Amino acid sequence: MDEKTRLAVSAAEKRTLPKRIFKWLDRRAGLDKLMKESLDEPIPGGARLAYVFGSGLLFIFISQIITGICLALYYVPSAETAHTSVAYITKQVAAGAFLRSLHYYGSSAMIIVLALHFLQTFLYGSFKGRRELLWMSGAVLSFLVLGMGFTGYLLPWDQKAYFATAVGTNIVGQIPFAGNWLTRLLRGGDTIGTLTLSRFYVAHVFLIPGAIFAFIAAHIFLFRKAGAAGPIHEDPVQPKLAHESFYPRQVLMDMALALLLMVGLGFLSYFHPVGLGPIANPADTQFLPRPEWYYLPMFEWLKYWEGPKVVLAVVVIPGLLAMLFFLMPFLDRKLERRPWRRPIPVLAVAFVMLGVIYFGVKSEWDDQHDAAVSSQLAKQDQQEQAYTAAPFEPYVESPGGTGPLALPTGPVNPLVAHGKGIFQAHGCSGCHGVSGMGSSAAPTLVGVTTKFPEVQLIGLLHDPSAKMRAGHMPAVDISAGEMSALLSYLGVLGTNAANVPAASGLLPAPSQLSGGEVEAHVNGMAGTRGSTEGVAATKVSAAAAVGQQMFEERGCLGCHGPAGGGAKAPAIAPMIAKVTDIEVTQLLQSPNAKMKAGGMPSVVASPTELSSLVAYLRTLPAPRVGKEIQGEKVTADATPYPEPSPSPTAASPSYPSVPATPAMPGTAAAIAPPTAGHALFVSQGCAACHGPSGEGTHFAPSLIGVGRKFPGAALPTLLHHPTSKMRAGGMPVVKVNDAQLVQLVAFLSSLAPASAAAPNSVKGIATASAPAPQPGSPVAGTSSGSTTAPAAQQAVAVPLSPLAQRGQKVFERNSCESCHGTGGLNGTVAAPGLAGTASILPASVLEDLLRHHSIQMQKGGMPLTNMNAQDMKSIVAYIRAMPSAGQ
């Protein structure tokens, strides 16, 4: 064979290589037979555009699976991180916003194509002629598609998703007998939280798609078994028209629809990407929930039903319609397929479809023509647009959480940490968000220091504008030093520098500041801290900042003082100066006998946390002999630890002792020893709202003088039958027997105003006979405009039990401090302190209040507490461990 012939043969072999591969696969997998079975499907009457919707549904479902898998690579299904992970996809991932928009618009396209497929099948009578199972499998698929939309709506965990899901699960709760059980099954408890998100995620990603795959297989099998029904004038049992195979004309029509869907979805996703609203805030009482457009008709339908009749709207009527939908082939059994020859079924379906369209349009019409509703919805849209446009903010583990706190690289600015503590302690995060990114209640504060000059910003904080006051912005009445720290924190919002642990209590010692920070700190304090001469400037490492957070959270400053300078317990720096880090760690984990005698508890923490704590202790300055540190004189012969005093127990509750001096005017008279009436006052929960001595709180007014205002039988009658105003404020009916009522009324009547002022008191400060506040106690370092300190501020911190320590972490992890203040002790403008009010309630009463909020708590915006039993017991233990006056 010559060279020319050999090359020709080789070229021929190469041309047949794909065929050879196909034959090799066909012999082993039967590909040829499979292709013929798939593409040679006979269609009576030939290919038609009306038949494209089934293939369109299959294409969209495959698209949803692919985009859903891509999104699942980044998504984290927990209440703490779900919203951040979706924000990361939208703002950080390359083409993430486009991908998420494809998935979002794909769900709506699936509903539309599903409706068109249903109408085409019904009008053509394609369910007739032994196709009952085919129709019923399609009906099941329809409900599964709606279930995909419902379960996927919650996953972004923004305001819209949270409240729409709350409405949806509440509707399920209206089902008689099983409603509450079904609601708890969906939510994973009484409230919407991480368990709800986890269950919806599993249903959306695994359960419902698995069921859809199974029913699609059954649907295709039954369709191929029964065959295509053909046009409306064809016999559905024995078709007589000429057949045409599925390939090529019908395949081309189906591919044309798929291409049209791809272009349409891509156009929407690129030019109108889906937004993301602020993170879900269950305490937001202003947000108006609206479901996705395909659930709007049901949302509007329920507005017309109230009370017991709502069962008809939720169960009876929808149940009948669903049953008729499933049984359509058995109700319209004649072989006649032309719609004009089937007036009753066609009119019935037309009536239902027009009703669905009417309710959907009416819902939109009502929202647009109600001024208050349209204004709120427009505000929510603006907030969603603002959050979508804002830069991505990474997730930061809250203090007390299970993971490490994400800190900025390099030195930590102590002023920023204390500014963050002030921001949280004054309840700013309750409206502006935990990170100042804004919420439905107040705008974002990112960039506020560049928007307003410093002098103008300070003026606005001290004296808010009319618009700010209309939005319930209170005046920020703090000292110049604290204002300087707050501005430092506001200046770094939206950056990694703001991701520092919040420092509560006193401002940082000058030794913890450097260079210009010392100068700014001294100028801000206006001489209130003392001289900084000779103080070496140091930098605080990230590990030391975490240790400082632990030092404050564990209440170490209650004994050792705010910078460890000594108070009830000696200064730390001299004690550890000649001790290695390993020995310090061992002493923290296992205190010696002398330390235990002084009340030093074991420090239970991970090795990393202990290392951070030791790093912070190494930064503490040594106190100067003879110099005043934080208002107390330190001597060289300070005793290591004082003798421990017996702490009160649950069996022997401690009550405030009788003051040595007369009480202030307008306050309760000298508190008597424990009485049966006072015990009832506490056990019935009255103290949680009116204060431990009836002096009044944010929740309820003072009861001092109530006996004179309602003499005789008026007060008992009022307790048994509160007025409408009292009920609106959350006052319940007092349910006690006659003997107990006499004791309670006697106690209330004893709350009379005192007539004499304390001779040594100045503007409400404790009298000379009262003990001075310790430097480590919460009262030291308070700098509000008023010099009157609540009772909780005068308490001395006591070591927490392991259960209470866990409760403290739960308290912080759930952002309770954003409303109740740092440690929950003193409260903020958003909510009262818990020390001395809720802390004196019995554990069972307190737990019941946390699980079932009173009317006043609900009106105050108290979010639902969705906790497991152990977390609930621990947070109750922590609240009850909060020090009250006199402890």
Side-chain angles (χ1 to χ4, degrees):
M1 182 183 296
D2 58 5
E3 184 66 19
K4 187 175 180 179
T5 306
R6 189 178 62 80
L7 291 175
V9 171
S10 178
E13 289 178 351
K14 288 182 180 179
R15 284 196 300 269
T16 60
L17 181 61
K19 293 183 178 180
R20 291 169 63 188
I21 294 175
F22 180 81
K23 287 183 178 180
W24 186 88
L25 292 173
D26 180 48
R27 292 190 190 100
R28 291 158 178 80
L31 291 182
D32 189 54
K33 183 178 180 181
L34 181 64
M35 295 291 289
K36 288 181 179 180
E37 287 288 335
S38 302
L39 300 177
D40 292 344
E41 174 192 348
I43 303 176
R48 296 174 185 266
L49 286 174
Y51 303 156
V52 300
F53 299 115
S55 299
L57 275 174
L58 184 60
F59 166 77
I60 297 176
F61 178 68
I62 294 173
S63 172
Q64 292 296 92
I65 292 295
I66 294 173
T67 55
I69 290 174
C70 295
L71 294 174
L73 295 176
Y74 298 96
Y75 184 74
V76 183
S78 75
E80 290 79 13
T81 54
H83 186 265
T84 305
S85 62
V86 175
Y88 180 77
I89 293 170
T90 306
K91 301 178 181 183
Q92 296 291 105
V93 176
F98 180 78
L99 191 70
R100 178 170 171 252
S101 300
L102 274 179
H103 194 76
Y104 175 84
Y105 289 124
S107 63
S108 294
M110 201 166 187
I111 299 294
I112 295 172
V113 177
L114 177 65
L116 294 174
H117 184 54
F118 159 72
L119 289 175
Q120 181 270 323
T121 304
F122 172 76
L123 291 176
Y124 272 58
S126 300
F127 57 87
K128 296 176 179 289
R130 303 168 187 169
R131 293 177 174 83
E132 297 89 351
L133 292 178
L134 177 63
W135 172 270
M136 294 174 73
S137 64
V140 173
L141 282 170
S142 302
F143 286 107
L144 289 174
V145 169
L146 290 174
M148 284 288 286
F150 179 68
T151 54
Y153 200 67
L154 177 66
L155 302 187
W157 198 250
D158 59 0
Q159 290 279 77
K160 182 168 61 176
Y162 179 91
F163 285 103
T165 305
V167 172
T169 52
N170 286 337
I171 291 173
V172 174
Q174 301 296 327
I175 299 176
F177 306 111
N180 290 334
W181 179 81
L182 289 173
T183 302
R184 288 179 59 84
L185 179 66
L186 287 173
R187 293 182 174 181
D190 295 322
T191 58
I192 297 176
T194 296
L195 288 178
T196 315
L197 195 61
S198 177
R199 294 186 181 206
F200 274 54
Y201 178 75
V202 169
H204 187 75
V205 175
F206 298 105
L207 301 182
I208 299 180
I212 289 178
F213 272 117
F215 276 93
I216 284 177
H219 195 68
I220 294 176
F221 171 78
L222 293 170
F223 176 75
R224 299 303 301 271
K225 177 70 175 175
I232 56 176
H233 54 272
E234 177 64 286
D235 188 334
V237 179
Q238 296 178 348
K240 301 178 178 59
L241 295 175
H243 292 71
E244 180 183 355
S245 64
F246 181 72
Y247 178 83
R249 290 184 64 220
Q250 192 62 52
V251 170
L252 292 175
M253 292 180 184
D254 290 353
M255 290 178 64
L257 176 64
L259 180 62
L260 184 64
L261 288 171
M262 287 175 61
V263 172
L265 293 176
F267 184 87
L268 276 174
S269 301
Y270 185 81
F271 291 102
H272 194 267
V274 180
L276 179 66
I279 190 171
N281 178 17
D284 186 357
T285 58
Q286 303 297 320
F287 192 89
L288 291 179
R290 290 296 181 269
E292 198 55 65
W293 64 269
Y294 42 85
Y295 280 116
L296 270 180
M298 186 66 176
F299 177 78
E300 181 68 20
W301 162 260
L302 293 173
K303 294 180 182 178
Y304 297 90
W305 306 84
E306 295 180 357
K309 295 181 181 178
V310 77
V311 176
L312 294 173
V314 174
V315 181
V316 179
I317 296 177
L320 285 174
L321 291 177
M323 184 175 66
L324 293 174
F325 180 50
F326 270 91
L327 299 179
M328 181 69 71
F330 301 98
L331 299 175
D332 188 8
R333 296 186 60 83
K334 294 182 179 179
L335 295 181
E336 177 61 57
R337 298 174 57 191
R338 289 168 290 184
W340 53 87
R341 296 291 183 90
R342 299 183 290 133
I344 295 178
V346 172
L347 287 176
V349 172
F351 178 77
V352 173
M353 294 300 296
L354 289 174
V356 169
I357 295 173
Y358 167 77
F359 283 120
V361 173
K362 189 175 186 305
S363 180
E364 289 285 351
W365 175 274
D366 291 345
D367 287 345
Q368 293 176 5
H369 289 77
D370 187 314
V373 172
S374 61
S375 175
Q376 177 63 26
L377 291 177
K379 180 181 177 182
Q380 292 171 191
D381 289 339
Q382 292 174 0
Q383 291 166 352
E384 180 176 315
Q385 294 171 7
Y387 184 85
T388 303
F392 172 70
E393 182 185 8
Y395 170 72
V396 178
E397 182 78 25
S398 60
T402 57
L405 181 67
L407 290 169
T409 58
V412 174
N413 186 350
L415 280 180
V416 173
H418 281 270
K420 187 174 184 178
I422 295 168
F423 185 84
Q424 295 178 354
H426 282 74
C428 311
S429 55
C431 294
H432 293 283
V434 177
S435 303
M437 296 297 291
S439 68
S440 59
T444 179
L445 294 177
V446 176
V448 69
T449 54
T450 59
K451 185 177 180 181
F452 298 99
E454 182 176 339
V455 176
Q456 184 181 356
L457 182 57
I458 293 174
L460 284 173
L461 291 172
H462 280 310
D463 185 17
S465 64
K467 185 177 180 181
M468 294 164 67
R469 289 187 181 276
H472 307 290
M473 170 71 183
V476 182
D477 190 9
I478 55 179
S479 68
E482 289 179 320
M483 182 64 73
S484 176
L486 179 60
L487 292 181
S488 297
Y489 175 64
L490 295 179
V492 298
L493 286 177
T495 68
N496 288 338
N499 299 340
V500 297
S504 58
L506 295 171
L507 287 172
S511 62
Q512 293 178 309
L513 303 176
S514 62
E517 294 173 353
V518 172
E519 182 180 355
H521 179 60
V522 174
N523 292 337
M525 291 303 295
T528 58
R529 272 288 176 257
S531 174
T532 59
E533 290 183 28
V535 178
T538 59
K539 294 288 185 178
V540 180
S541 67
V546 176
Q548 181 182 11
Q549 182 73 11
M550 289 182 61
F551 186 83
E552 294 170 350
E553 286 178 353
R554 303 291 178 103
C556 309
L557 48 76
C559 294
H560 291 283
K568 288 173 59 181
I572 294 177
M575 289 194 302
I576 65 172
K578 298 181 180 181
V579 182
T580 65
D581 288 354
I582 297 177
E583 292 173 325
V584 174
T585 303
Q586 291 174 347
L587 283 172
L588 290 173
Q589 291 179 311
S590 304
N592 58 35
K594 193 173 184 180
M595 294 166 67
K596 289 182 179 180
M600 173 70 182
S602 301
V603 178
V604 181
S606 67
T608 303
E609 290 175 327
L610 287 170
S611 176
S612 299
L613 182 57
V614 173
Y616 170 67
L617 297 181
R618 291 297 184 190
T619 66
L620 296 178
R624 294 186 180 181
V625 178
K627 295 288 184 179
E628 289 189 358
I629 296 179
Q630 308 297 346
E632 284 203 1
K633 200 165 186 178
V634 179
T635 59
D637 57 346
T639 56
Y641 285 96
E643 289 298 321
S645 58
S647 59
T649 61
S652 59
S654 72
Y655 291 83
S657 59
V658 180
T661 57
M664 290 293 295
T667 63
I671 302 173
T675 64
H678 184 264
L680 281 169
F681 185 79
V682 172
S683 64
Q684 291 293 316
C686 313
C689 293
H690 293 282
S693 303
E695 69 276 12
T697 67
H698 291 68
F699 276 151
S702 171
L703 295 178
I704 296 169
V706 70
R708 294 183 182 179
K709 189 175 180 180
F710 299 97
L715 184 55
T717 303
L718 200 62
L719 294 174
H720 276 314
H721 305 284
T723 64
S724 56
K725 184 177 181 181
M726 294 165 66
R727 286 182 178 274
M731 173 69 183
V733 176
V734 178
K735 298 178 180 179
V736 294
N737 57 39
D738 293 341
Q740 292 173 326
L741 183 63
V742 171
Q743 296 170 346
L744 182 59
V745 169
F747 169 72
L748 295 176
S749 299
S750 68
L751 300 177
S755 57
N760 298 324
S761 62
V762 180
K763 294 184 181 181
I765 299 178
T767 60
S769 60
Q774 298 293 331
S777 66
V779 72
T782 56
S783 54
S784 61
S786 171
T787 55
T788 303
Q793 286 180 317
Q794 302 176 21
V796 177
V798 294
L800 298 177
S801 66
L803 184 63
Q805 288 179 9
R806 172 174 175 171
Q808 184 181 27
K809 292 186 177 182
V810 174
F811 188 84
E812 294 165 352
R813 189 166 59 244
N814 285 272
S815 300
C816 306
E817 291 182 320
S818 63
C819 291
H820 293 286
T822 303
L825 295 175
N826 303 323
T828 68
V829 294
L834 302 176
T837 53
S839 65
I840 61 178
L841 292 177
S844 58
V845 175
L846 181 56
E847 181 173 346
D848 187 63
L849 273 175
L850 289 174
R851 293 194 183 278
H852 311 286
H853 300 161
S854 66
I855 297 175
Q856 189 71 14
M857 293 165 70
Q858 294 172 10
K859 288 186 175 181
M862 173 75 176
L864 297 174
T865 44
N866 185 22
M867 300 180 188
N868 57 41
Q870 187 63 26
D871 282 352
M872 180 61 73
K873 289 185 181 299
S874 64
I875 199 170
V876 167
Y878 173 62
I879 294 175
R880 283 173 53 80
M882 292 179 182
S884 302
Q887 283 187 334

